[in-house]
Amino acid sequence: MRYAKRGPLRFTSHRDFARAFERALRRAGVPVAFSQGFTPHPKISYASAAPTGVASEAEYLEIGLREPVDPEQLRLALDTALSPGLDVLDAVVADGASLPDRIEASRWRIELPQVDPDVLVRAVTVFAAADEVLVERMTKQGRRTFDARTAVISIDVDVVSPTPSGDSAVPCAILELVVRQVTPSVRPDDVLSGLRVVAGLEPPVAPKVIRLAQGTLTAQGVIVDPLDADRDGATIGGR
């Protein structure tokens, strides 16, 4: 299944979404399968969830069911049971490689209010020319230093799109990224940290980040929806 986090609901944490999704399954009467053992859990697997505060049009999960269900009816039932802003967009039969194996890269859009696009172009040029850009981030294992450059497949400044506010008097630079899935993961905020390291770019206000797509990556740099391989399925059923 593919779902979106939009508007204020982008601040929903992954844990909060998981709880909301389990409640939606119950409200919609979905025949979800459960794990075995003393503490059974619904068979739900999430793939590469976006960070809290980041909007997304391309979040993915898998669920195991006890019996066949029509994909579109399932999508509509769950979309209705979830709050507006947590929107179920697509559902297909999982019939092939596991979902995580189909996610190799993500496409991101970062809006930087009050940043001059020309300033961002210069910073991106320096970043793209670097062989390595070391940044730091606090992780569960403590503070780690890693390369934010190698995972970035493409980085560009969108100089065509209008500013989100529609006010040309207020500059808003827009950054477009394609980032490969690596360990540790390289997130949009890591790339922004890298731009600060190599070019001193300091956005005066918090950026707005949205994930536009994620999936397999072609030789031409195109991201393919991981559900595309299963479009011929007619029903969703237990596996």
Side-chain angles (χ1 to χ4, degrees), residues 104-109 149-156 175-181 186 191 213 215 217 221-223:
E104 299 173 344
S106 294
R107 182 179 300 279
W108 303 88
R109 177 183 173 93
R149 174 65 188 91
T150 304
V152 177
I153 299 168
S154 68
I155 179 168
D156 298 290
L175 187 64
E176 301 274 1
L177 293 172
V178 175
V179 181
R180 190 182 300 278
Q181 194 83 3
V186 173
V191 176
L217 189 67
V222 176
I223 294 179

Side-chain angles (χ1 to χ4, degrees), residues 11-194:
F11 294 104
T12 304
S13 69
H14 176 61
R15 180 174 296 180
D16 287 341
F17 174 81
R19 291 170 179 163
F21 189 74
E22 290 185 24
R23 290 195 299 268
L25 288 171
R26 291 193 293 269
R27 285 197 295 269
V30 176
V32 63
F34 281 77
S35 61
Q36 303 297 314
F38 292 105
T39 56
H41 297 284
K43 290 188 175 182
I44 308 172
S45 177
Y46 298 90
S48 186
T52 303
V54 172
S56 178
E57 293 295 315
E59 300 297 286
Y60 292 90
L61 61 82
E62 289 179 299
I63 57 175
L65 302 179
R66 301 191 309 270
E67 60 189 56
V69 175
D70 178 76
E72 181 59 14
Q73 290 182 5
L74 177 64
R75 186 197 70 78
L76 287 171
L78 289 173
D79 189 51
T80 300
L82 286 166
S83 299
L86 298 176
D87 304 318
V88 182
L89 306 177
D90 201 358
V92 298
V93 177
D95 185 23
S98 68
L99 190 54
D101 291 340
R102 301 182 187 190
I103 296 180
E104 299 173 344
S106 294
R107 182 179 300 279
W108 303 88
R109 177 183 173 93
I110 306 175
E111 297 176 359
L112 299 166
Q114 300 182 33
V115 172
D116 189 301
D118 291 337
V119 172
L120 181 60
V121 167
R122 290 193 290 270
V124 164
T125 300
V126 177
F127 182 94
D131 294 326
E132 180 182 71
V133 179
L134 297 179
V135 300
E136 289 187 347
R137 190 210 308 156
M138 184 61 71
T139 69
K140 293 179 181 179
Q141 292 75 37
R143 185 168 294 278
R144 295 192 63 178
T145 299
F146 57 94
D147 179 17
R149 174 65 188 91
T150 304
V152 177
I153 299 168
S154 68
I155 179 168
D156 298 290
V157 179
D158 185 348
V159 296
V160 177
S161 298
T163 59
S165 65
D167 185 357
S168 59
V170 179
C172 180
I174 298 175
L175 187 64
E176 301 274 1
L177 293 172
V178 175
V179 181
R180 190 182 300 278
Q181 194 83 3
V182 295
T183 302
S185 61
V186 173
R187 308 183 313 200
D189 57 313
D190 298 321
V191 176
L192 293 177
S193 295

